[in-house]
Amino acid sequence: MKALLKRTTWILPVAILLFACGGKEKKTTLAENTPAEETATLEIEKPQLTFGFIKLTDMAPLAIAKEKGFFEDEGLFVSVEAQSNWKNVLDRVIDGQLDGSHMLAGQPIAAGAGFGRQADLVTPFSMDLNGNGITVSNDVWSKMKPNVPKGADGKPIHPIKADALKPVITDYKNSGKAFKMGMVFPVSTHNYEIRYWLAAAGIHPGMYTAENVQGQIDAEVLLSVTPPPQMPATLEAGTIYGYCVGEPWNQQAVFKGIGVPVTTNYDIWKNNPEKVFVMTKKFVEENPNTAVAVTKALIRAGKWLDEPGNRAEAVKILSMSQYVGADEAVLANSMTGTFEFEKGDKREMPDFNVFYKYNATYPFYSDGIWFLTQMRRWGQIPESKPADWYASTIKDIYRPDIWTKAAKILVEEGKIPASDIPETDGYKPETADFIDGTTYDAKDPIGYINSFAIGNKDAAVQ
């Protein structure tokens, strides 16, 4: 209702002015120049909202939507609150303490597929592409480095595969030490990416079962959960020897001189989806216009973030204590088109953080199905499923219809071009290639799962 009242406050004076100038034609001109009629009548059911996030650079669309007034433009009055860990984020959204949140893409999918806490959650907006890295301790890197090919400049050739880590893991095993690495949550992109990277080199990262939710059965590398902001300190303490996390926590390891990022998820799966914005199905059903308005503001924020010249300002905003709170220099290392591996080895990586390009904000069914294949591959989904189960499951969670409604209004308002709305049935038109050479086709998820040797739940030969 406040959105309606807000627009009325400027429409009424303009109407009076035009009437004073005389003529019915002037009234017609007002109607033609009024922003999208649908927007003017979009009544907000719940204007006061509280959203959650974890201190990572990919929460940026929330910070920008708030700081640049995009939420307020929609008649939304939003509080954005940092949360302690991903489980807390999930629980608070399900319990209604948060109206929505920055969330791991796998969290709403797992909740709908029956792994972990179950709930009906909805994803109308994908927050970004890429943004993660795998970092190892200085000691592990010193042992990996001789196994890494070098270029003419003497620097390591990227992408660095886990083949270089394999003999290091063997040495640890022979000395009676388990090789331990961290990831942020069992259904996080980070868990699946580090597993993908390891498995591509024939290193078994372990399996899940209903009885063993640690995912360490037959593991050559023991993966455990560590909240993102705690990753560098945990590495420095020697509790883990490496980790997969989003920024700025890989660059923080470089900044502190305690670790070296060896690869990014851009190299594991180019332009992969990372975080999503999540609300409950109940919230969306009770507040459909609010859900569309929130999505509108977030799409605008994503577009602003990818416009040339805005990243420096974004870094300043994210460095604020109420958002990520990291040093500007650390945030800028990845947010401004570069990525630093070893100290002094800073490389151009313009697509490390993508917030709008390549239809980054659209919640593609195919992206969601990939997460389901990984849950099946590693035993989090314990039973074999038919191919159509993957498609039907994701369509209850990913909601491109909400995104499309929001985007079409933005087109009518002149805020985005019509060409930015993808022509799609909800699936990406192209397949995705991975670091191990496999090709993913979301419309044949069983065939995709069957292409793996390690952790292959549906293969004839285990």
Coordinates of all heavy atoms in Angstrom, one line a residue, residues 76 132-133 304 345 410 419 433 456:
L76 N 9.4 -0.6 -0.3 CA 9.9 -1.6 0.7 C 10.9 -0.9 1.7 O 11.8 -0.2 1.3 CB 10.6 -2.7 0.0 CG 9.8 -3.5 -1.1 CD1 10.7 -4.4 -1.9 CD2 8.6 -4.2 -0.5
N132 N 34.0 -18.2 -5.9 CA 34.6 -19.0 -4.9 C 36.1 -19.4 -5.3 O 36.5 -19.3 -6.5 CB 33.9 -20.3 -4.8 CG 32.5 -20.2 -4.2 OD1 32.2 -19.1 -3.6 ND2 31.6 -21.1 -4.4
G133 N 36.8 -19.8 -4.3 CA 38.2 -20.3 -4.6 C 38.5 -21.5 -3.7 O 37.8 -21.7 -2.7
W304 N 23.3 -2.8 -11.6 CA 24.2 -1.7 -11.2 C 25.6 -2.2 -10.9 O 26.6 -1.6 -11.3 CB 23.6 -1.0 -9.9 CG 24.3 0.2 -9.4 CD1 24.1 1.5 -9.8 CD2 25.5 0.1 -8.5 NE1 25.1 2.3 -9.1 CE2 25.9 1.5 -8.4 CE3 26.1 -0.9 -7.8 CZ2 26.9 1.8 -7.5 CZ3 27.2 -0.5 -7.0 CH2 27.6 0.8 -6.9
D345 N 51.3 -12.5 -7.4 CA 50.8 -13.2 -8.6 C 49.3 -12.8 -8.8 O 48.4 -13.7 -8.6 CB 51.0 -14.7 -8.6 CG 50.6 -15.4 -9.9 OD1 50.3 -14.7 -10.9 OD2 50.6 -16.7 -9.9
L410 N 10.2 -4.0 -15.1 CA 11.4 -3.1 -15.2 C 11.6 -2.7 -16.6 O 12.0 -1.6 -16.9 CB 12.6 -3.9 -14.7 CG 12.7 -4.1 -13.2 CD1 13.9 -5.0 -12.8 CD2 12.8 -2.8 -12.4
S419 N 15.9 -7.1 -24.1 CA 16.8 -8.1 -24.5 C 17.5 -8.8 -23.4 O 18.1 -9.8 -23.5 CB 17.9 -7.5 -25.4 OG 18.6 -6.5 -24.8
D433 N 30.6 -27.2 -19.5 CA 31.8 -28.0 -19.5 C 32.5 -27.9 -18.2 O 32.6 -26.8 -17.6 CB 32.7 -27.7 -20.7 CG 32.1 -28.0 -22.0 OD1 31.5 -29.0 -22.1 OD2 32.1 -27.1 -22.9
N456 N 30.0 -42.4 -7.7 CA 29.0 -42.6 -8.7 C 27.9 -43.5 -8.2 O 28.0 -44.7 -8.2 CB 29.5 -43.1 -10.0 CG 28.5 -43.3 -11.1 OD1 27.3 -43.1 -10.9 ND2 28.9 -43.7 -12.3

